[in-house]
Amino acid sequence: GDPRPISLQRRSNADGTWSTVWSGNSAADGGVVVAIPVIVGQHQYRLSVPSAPGLAAAVSDPKWVSALTTITGFDTAPASDDPGATIADTVTVTPGNARTLEVVKRLVGTASWTVHATATANASGVAAISLLVQPGSYEWAVRAQAETAYGAAAITPVRTVTGLGKATSISGWTTA
């Protein structure tokens, strides 16, 4: 056969319109090699071939491509302190301008995470986070959910934080 024009098209979830991001020609055998550009967010890509004399137009099934998310800077060194103390840290999420991060914890030996707090990254993707020391040993991590505006989900390696002793509480206090 003859080479045929072919285009790579992209659309985002927010905008259902397909736009051409690359155009070229297939090889005589119909083969083509296309590099899909990975950009911030989640996007669909497809190949489109126009009709030609005696040949119908064709469009491939769309493929989802998500930008990789990374979270760096989270201190994973084990720590211990008195229950109620706060351990501060700073992380960078990429892509991350104004992205929401979750500070999550779980009791050592369990599987379920609970959200302790959220933090919003600044324009550079930097967010200040804090861990509240609990009685016992907890694993802490920072995670970013998958979002169409940013890309794939990510979670940091864990940091084990042990609360020494018991939390102090005051009860039975009355005023006359």
Side-chain angles (χ1 to χ4, degrees):
D2 292 328
R4 289 188 62 189
I6 188 166
S7 62
L8 176 66
Q9 298 176 329
R10 175 180 61 221
R11 73 174 175 189
S12 69
N13 241 8
D15 177 12
T17 304
W18 289 99
S19 61
T20 298
V21 296
W22 174 87
S23 292
N25 290 306
S26 68
D29 67 0
V32 65
V33 175
V34 177
I36 296 176
V38 179
I39 61 173
V40 173
Q42 296 175 328
H43 303 275
Q44 285 185 311
Y45 288 86
R46 71 180 185 186
L47 294 173
S48 177
V49 179
S51 63
L55 299 169
V59 177
S60 70
D61 289 334
K63 302 289 182 192
W64 279 103
V65 176
S66 295
L68 178 68
T69 297
T70 60
I71 304 171
T72 58
F74 183 62
D75 187 352
T76 58
S80 59
D81 207 335
D82 293 326
T86 300
I87 299 173
D89 205 346
T90 302
V91 298
T92 301
V93 59
T94 305
N97 178 16
R99 191 166 187 179
T100 299
L101 298 172
E102 296 174 333
V103 180
V104 294
K105 67 178 182 179
R106 66 182 177 198
L107 189 61
V108 169
T110 63
S112 297
W113 291 105
T114 58
V115 177
H116 167 71
T118 59
T120 302
N122 65 19
S124 299
V126 177
I129 61 158
S130 62
L131 317 178
L132 180 63
V133 180
Q134 312 285 308
S137 291
Y138 282 81
E139 292 178 323
W140 292 82
V142 179
R143 72 181 175 197
Q145 298 289 349
E147 297 180 54
T148 56
Y150 295 108
I155 189 165
T156 63
V158 300
R159 180 178 196 181
T160 301
V161 177
T162 302
L164 304 173
K166 295 183 178 181
T168 301
S169 62
I170 299 173
S171 62
W173 180 271
T174 59
T175 58

PDB file of all heavy atoms in Angstrom, residues 14 44 53 90 95 104 112 116 125 134 140:
ATOM      1  N   ALA A  14     -11.968  17.781  30.895  1.00  0.00           N
ATOM      2  CA  ALA A  14     -12.690  19.041  31.019  1.00  0.00           C
ATOM      3  C   ALA A  14     -13.204  19.549  29.677  1.00  0.00           C
ATOM      4  O   ALA A  14     -14.196  20.258  29.610  1.00  0.00           O
ATOM      5  CB  ALA A  14     -11.787  20.094  31.653  1.00  0.00           C
ATOM      6  N   GLN A  44      -6.880  11.878  27.097  1.00  0.00           N
ATOM      7  CA  GLN A  44      -7.090  10.764  26.182  1.00  0.00           C
ATOM      8  C   GLN A  44      -6.375  11.081  24.873  1.00  0.00           C
ATOM      9  O   GLN A  44      -6.350  12.246  24.432  1.00  0.00           O
ATOM     10  CB  GLN A  44      -8.573  10.555  25.891  1.00  0.00           C
ATOM     11  CG  GLN A  44      -9.328   9.909  27.023  1.00  0.00           C
ATOM     12  CD  GLN A  44     -10.758   9.629  26.610  1.00  0.00           C
ATOM     13  OE1 GLN A  44     -11.447  10.485  26.081  1.00  0.00           O
ATOM     14  NE2 GLN A  44     -11.208   8.405  26.865  1.00  0.00           N
ATOM     15  N   PRO A  53      -9.145   7.457  -1.501  1.00  0.00           N
ATOM     16  CA  PRO A  53      -9.897   6.740  -2.543  1.00  0.00           C
ATOM     17  C   PRO A  53      -9.913   5.224  -2.285  1.00  0.00           C
ATOM     18  O   PRO A  53      -8.866   4.593  -2.135  1.00  0.00           O
ATOM     19  CB  PRO A  53      -9.131   7.078  -3.823  1.00  0.00           C
ATOM     20  CG  PRO A  53      -8.489   8.401  -3.529  1.00  0.00           C
ATOM     21  CD  PRO A  53      -8.152   8.355  -2.069  1.00  0.00           C
ATOM     22  N   THR A  90       8.091  19.655  55.436  1.00  0.00           N
ATOM     23  CA  THR A  90       7.744  20.334  54.192  1.00  0.00           C
ATOM     24  C   THR A  90       7.936  19.351  53.054  1.00  0.00           C
ATOM     25  O   THR A  90       8.948  18.647  53.007  1.00  0.00           O
ATOM     26  CB  THR A  90       8.642  21.562  53.958  1.00  0.00           C
ATOM     27  OG1 THR A  90       8.496  22.447  55.072  1.00  0.00           O
ATOM     28  CG2 THR A  90       8.252  22.299  52.693  1.00  0.00           C
ATOM     29  N   PRO A  95       3.158  17.156  39.509  1.00  0.00           N
ATOM     30  CA  PRO A  95       2.736  18.549  39.388  1.00  0.00           C
ATOM     31  C   PRO A  95       1.927  18.958  40.613  1.00  0.00           C
ATOM     32  O   PRO A  95       1.257  18.119  41.197  1.00  0.00           O
ATOM     33  CB  PRO A  95       1.889  18.566  38.123  1.00  0.00           C
ATOM     34  CG  PRO A  95       1.441  17.162  37.925  1.00  0.00           C
ATOM     35  CD  PRO A  95       2.467  16.286  38.560  1.00  0.00           C
ATOM     36  N   VAL A 104      -1.883  11.347  56.085  1.00  0.00           N
ATOM     37  CA  VAL A 104      -2.627  10.173  56.530  1.00  0.00           C
ATOM     38  C   VAL A 104      -1.836   9.400  57.584  1.00  0.00           C
ATOM     39  O   VAL A 104      -0.611   9.477  57.634  1.00  0.00           O
ATOM     40  CB  VAL A 104      -2.997   9.256  55.337  1.00  0.00           C
ATOM     41  CG1 VAL A 104      -3.969   9.962  54.411  1.00  0.00           C
ATOM     42  CG2 VAL A 104      -1.765   8.802  54.578  1.00  0.00           C
ATOM     43  N   SER A 112      -5.652   0.169  57.185  1.00  0.00           N
ATOM     44  CA  SER A 112      -6.502   1.293  56.788  1.00  0.00           C
ATOM     45  C   SER A 112      -5.917   2.643  57.186  1.00  0.00           C
ATOM     46  O   SER A 112      -5.546   2.856  58.341  1.00  0.00           O
ATOM     47  CB  SER A 112      -7.887   1.164  57.430  1.00  0.00           C
ATOM     48  OG  SER A 112      -8.521   0.001  56.961  1.00  0.00           O
ATOM     49  N   HIS A 116      -5.566  12.620  58.551  1.00  0.00           N
ATOM     50  CA  HIS A 116      -5.319  13.446  59.736  1.00  0.00           C
ATOM     51  C   HIS A 116      -5.544  14.926  59.410  1.00  0.00           C
ATOM     52  O   HIS A 116      -6.122  15.661  60.188  1.00  0.00           O
ATOM     53  CB  HIS A 116      -3.882  13.220  60.225  1.00  0.00           C
ATOM     54  CG  HIS A 116      -3.408  14.227  61.223  1.00  0.00           C
ATOM     55  ND1 HIS A 116      -3.876  14.268  62.505  1.00  0.00           N
ATOM     56  CD2 HIS A 116      -2.525  15.258  61.112  1.00  0.00           C
ATOM     57  CE1 HIS A 116      -3.292  15.268  63.157  1.00  0.00           C
ATOM     58  NE2 HIS A 116      -2.484  15.882  62.329  1.00  0.00           N
ATOM     59  N   GLY A 125       4.467  24.083  44.252  1.00  0.00           N
ATOM     60  CA  GLY A 125       4.192  22.697  44.639  1.00  0.00           C
ATOM     61  C   GLY A 125       4.639  22.364  46.052  1.00  0.00           C
ATOM     62  O   GLY A 125       4.638  21.203  46.443  1.00  0.00           O
ATOM     63  N   GLN A 134       0.653  10.701  68.518  1.00  0.00           N
ATOM     64  CA  GLN A 134      -0.424   9.975  69.193  1.00  0.00           C
ATOM     65  C   GLN A 134       0.182   8.988  70.196  1.00  0.00           C
ATOM     66  O   GLN A 134       1.315   8.549  70.018  1.00  0.00           O
ATOM     67  CB  GLN A 134      -1.214   9.160  68.152  1.00  0.00           C
ATOM     68  CG  GLN A 134      -1.623   9.921  66.918  1.00  0.00           C
ATOM     69  CD  GLN A 134      -2.774  10.852  67.186  1.00  0.00           C
ATOM     70  OE1 GLN A 134      -3.800  10.451  67.714  1.00  0.00           O
ATOM     71  NE2 GLN A 134      -2.600  12.117  66.828  1.00  0.00           N
ATOM     72  N   TRP A 140       2.875   7.258  59.287  1.00  0.00           N
ATOM     73  CA  TRP A 140       2.380   8.474  58.651  1.00  0.00           C
ATOM     74  C   TRP A 140       2.852   8.505  57.207  1.00  0.00           C
ATOM     75  O   TRP A 140       3.931   8.002  56.881  1.00  0.00           O
ATOM     76  CB  TRP A 140       2.907   9.706  59.374  1.00  0.00           C
ATOM     77  CG  TRP A 140       2.365   9.879  60.760  1.00  0.00           C
ATOM     78  CD1 TRP A 140       2.814   9.261  61.896  1.00  0.00           C
ATOM     79  CD2 TRP A 140       1.285  10.709  61.164  1.00  0.00           C
ATOM     80  NE1 TRP A 140       2.077   9.659  62.978  1.00  0.00           N
ATOM     81  CE2 TRP A 140       1.128  10.559  62.556  1.00  0.00           C
ATOM     82  CE3 TRP A 140       0.437  11.573  60.487  1.00  0.00           C
ATOM     83  CZ2 TRP A 140       0.162  11.241  63.278  1.00  0.00           C
ATOM     84  CZ3 TRP A 140      -0.524  12.259  61.223  1.00  0.00           C
ATOM     85  CH2 TRP A 140      -0.662  12.089  62.603  1.00  0.00           C
TER      86      TRP A 140
END
